[in-house]
Amino acid sequence: MLTAVAVLAAGGAMSAFLVNRGDTSQAANQTAQPLPVNTAKVTQQTLKDTETEDGELGFGTTSTAVNRVAGTITSLPDSGQELQRGNTVYSVDNKPTTLLYGALPSYRRLADGSEGPDVQQLEQNLQALGYDGFTVDDEYTENTAEAVEEWQEDLGVDETGVVELGSVLYAPAHIRVDSVQAEEGAPLGPNQPVLTYTGTRKAVTVQLDAADQRLAKPQSKVDLTLPDGKSVPGKVEKVSTVIIPASDPAKDPETKVEVIVAIDNQKAVAAWALASVDVTFTASERKNVLTVPVSALVALREGGFGVEVTDGTASSYVPVKTGLFASGQVEVSGAGIKAGTVVGIPK
């Protein structure tokens, strides 16, 4: 008599049947029991463990531009405006804060004698803007100062040869102004937000539960289903942990895994400024493996799993090694198991 037992598999719960194969030294034990009524064939396929989550189409991560010196706001960009290297982001006391490209934030005053990676980052930008006469390295020399003076002349500011803190804003590439917090003509102190900005390319943001972090593998490919039902590929660009404050003071904040998905085909998403999309992650993938329905597995009394193999006239229980569980299928391998083999499905 077969007895049902519960077992736990990767990707969810399933059920199997406990059987006694008798002589466990044989690879297959012929049985006199009735042939299985329900059967399935062993198939060879690519098995994917996928999971679909809700995502928000927008412009990805939002950053904040913070004022560094006290003064009066004299110019601001418009929300939605795109800015490139060399453009003025905003002005305080009629002195511009200029957009430059780089990963290292501006954190100090740079002048003749300064050394460090921020100097090299500045010189790379000066060179990209067309200024020369200096060596791009980590040393701020007199030649660097002369190039800065030329740049300042073109900006219409005092030609000091010194890059004051707050006079530049570094971003990875050109930016899109998301929202503006400051007002023209209003006084603004140090460390106060002026505006928020994003990149200019559409991206999808997904917030996963911490338990689903396995889905968020940097550079992994995902499938995006757009509001019109069309599917476009995406790639995980950034993964970070965020804390979501609780709406109820009596509850604890939530820890989420925020995933930014990059989209190469920007034309496909151009019709939507904001939209909800389905994001399908592939946690695991096994190519060209043998699979059976999960319901075909039986739990052997001596341990492990097996399947009931039948040729239409007799059946036998064959032990198998299991691999990936996904989409109701399970990867199997073992003696006598090949594509096309017929296995029973227990009632």
Side-chain angles (χ1 to χ4, degrees):
M1 180 177 180
L2 302 181
T3 304
V5 297
V7 297
L8 189 64
M14 67 163 194
S15 63
F17 284 85
L18 180 66
V19 300
N20 186 348
R21 294 196 306 118
D23 184 0
T24 59
S25 66
Q26 297 180 357
N29 179 39
Q30 295 294 328
T31 67
Q33 65 183 25
L35 295 177
V37 175
N38 300 315
T39 61
K41 288 185 178 181
V42 176
T43 59
Q44 186 171 16
Q45 62 177 312
T46 296
L47 196 60
K48 293 183 178 182
D49 175 16
T50 62
E51 191 163 329
T52 300
E53 300 286 346
D54 294 332
E56 189 71 27
L57 177 66
F59 289 90
T61 303
T62 300
S63 302
T64 302
V66 177
N67 186 43
R68 304 307 299 269
V69 295
T72 300
I73 292 288
T74 51
S75 73
L76 287 167
D78 296 324
S79 295
Q81 184 175 340
E82 295 188 3
L83 302 171
Q84 299 182 350
R85 177 169 24 213
N87 291 160
T88 296
V89 183
Y90 61 93
S91 297
V92 176
D93 292 345
N94 219 29
K95 297 177 181 178
T97 293
T98 304
L99 177 64
L100 298 180
Y101 296 165
L104 186 63
S106 175
Y107 66 92
R108 62 171 177 163
R109 176 180 184 268
L110 295 179
D112 188 6
S114 298
E115 294 185 13
D118 52 344
V119 173
Q120 185 169 15
Q121 182 172 264
L122 170 68
E123 291 179 337
Q124 289 170 339
N125 278 275
L126 291 173
Q127 185 179 67
L129 290 170
Y131 301 98
D132 54 23
F134 56 91
T135 301
V136 177
D137 54 20
D138 62 357
E139 296 182 4
Y140 197 117
T141 65
E142 290 184 6
N143 292 335
T144 306
E146 289 177 3
V148 169
E149 288 177 11
E150 292 180 31
W151 176 44
Q152 290 172 330
E153 181 180 7
D154 293 338
L155 291 174
V157 299
D158 295 339
E159 300 162 33
T160 63
V162 174
V163 180
E164 298 289 351
L165 183 62
S167 62
V168 297
L169 171 69
Y170 285 105
H174 52 294
I175 64 174
R176 168 189 168 273
V177 179
D178 187 60
S179 64
V180 178
Q181 283 77 49
E183 295 182 6
E184 284 192 23
L188 200 67
N191 303 319
Q192 288 187 282
V194 179
L195 53 83
T196 60
Y197 61 92
T198 66
T200 58
R201 293 176 63 83
K202 296 284 182 65
V204 173
T205 302
V206 185
Q207 288 192 343
L208 299 174
D209 291 335
D212 293 326
Q213 189 167 3
R214 66 188 178 87
L215 301 174
K217 299 176 182 177
Q219 305 306 308
S220 62
K221 295 179 180 179
V222 302
D223 291 317
L224 306 172
T225 303
L226 303 176
D228 59 4
K230 293 181 180 178
S231 180
V232 296
K235 183 171 67 176
V236 175
E237 183 176 62
K238 182 180 178 182
V239 179
S240 58
T241 301
V242 296
I243 306 298
I244 308 299
S247 56
D248 185 346
K251 295 182 179 180
D252 294 331
E254 286 187 278
T255 299
K256 294 284 188 178
V257 177
E258 186 173 85
V259 183
I260 305 298
V261 177
I263 306 169
D264 285 337
N265 186 359
Q266 291 288 299
K267 289 184 179 180
V269 294
W272 298 280
L274 296 172
S276 295
V277 300
D278 290 332
V279 183
T280 301
F281 295 88
T282 299
S284 301
E285 179 177 351
R286 296 279 290 163
K287 295 183 178 180
N288 299 320
V289 296
L290 299 176
T291 71
V292 296
V294 172
S295 55
L297 287 182
V298 293
L300 304 179
R301 189 177 299 278
E302 64 270 29
F305 293 103
V307 292
E308 185 181 5
V309 174
T310 179
D311 61 4
T313 60
S315 68
S316 58
Y317 288 104
V318 175
V320 295
K321 180 180 179 180
T322 60
L324 179 65
F325 289 77
S327 303
Q329 298 286 116
V330 56
E331 175 189 354
V332 294
S333 60
I337 302 299
K338 60 183 180 179
T341 299
V342 179
V343 298
I345 306 294
K347 294 181 180 179

